[in-house]
Amino acid sequence: MTNPCPCGLPEPYADCCGRFHRGDQHAPTAERLMRSRYCAFAVGEPEYLLDTWHPDTRPKRLRLDPAQEWTRLEILGQTGGSLLQNEGTVEFRAHYRHQGRDDSQHENSRFVREGGRWYYVDAR
């Protein structure tokens, strides 16, 4: 893919979130993990979503709805989650289209870093 990554950053998917999805690297910050998780919904990578979900809150299975088209991500704010921190939140709005209807999901997600890797914990 040479188009900008679905996460909203200008790099092509392969150089942006694709490297995280392939396991070449781990997301360095909570925001980058949030973006890569949104992108995993957009490109259909449920294994990546489960792999980056904290074991304490991770579901056993995850099935994505192929009829849901993720169209745009807005990062609204964040606390912590930097290279030198172990906790953070990312507030976002994820836009999607389902059955011809546009809608969005607003969430403030909580992340923790354990063993050098960021994990999604839950949403508030």
Side-chain angles (χ1 to χ4, degrees):
M1 286 174 117
T2 57
N3 292 331
C5 189
C7 80
L9 295 177
E11 301 163 285
Y13 167 75
D15 298 332
C16 192
C17 293
R19 63 191 162 137
F20 304 135
H21 295 174
R22 288 188 309 270
D24 297 347
Q25 296 178 354
H26 297 299
T29 65
E31 180 185 334
R32 286 306 299 257
L33 182 60
M34 172 59 239
R35 287 180 179 278
S36 70
R37 286 177 56 81
Y38 167 84
C39 187
F41 278 101
V43 301
E45 291 284 345
E47 298 82 14
Y48 179 79
L49 293 164
L50 289 170
D51 187 50
T52 57
W53 208 314
H54 194 276
D56 290 348
T57 57
R58 176 188 313 141
K60 291 186 193 308
R61 293 180 292 287
L62 180 64
R63 197 174 128 231
L64 303 181
D65 182 350
Q68 191 161 10
E69 176 190 358
W70 296 93
T71 58
R72 184 168 54 99
L73 176 65
E74 291 178 86
I75 302 295
L76 304 173
Q78 59 186 328
T79 62
S82 74
L83 293 170
L84 302 175
Q85 296 172 309
N86 291 321
E87 295 182 0
T89 64
V90 179
E91 182 182 6
F92 68 92
R93 183 170 292 116
H95 298 265
Y96 63 90
R97 180 171 294 122
H98 189 259
Q99 297 180 343
R101 184 171 171 248
D102 292 332
D103 206 344
S104 66
Q105 176 180 334
H106 178 243
E107 191 172 295
N108 194 16
S109 295
R110 190 165 58 107
F111 298 88
V112 296
R113 182 167 44 188
E114 294 180 356
R117 285 187 63 189
W118 283 101
Y119 294 93
Y120 167 77
V121 178
D122 57 22
R124 297 176 183 196

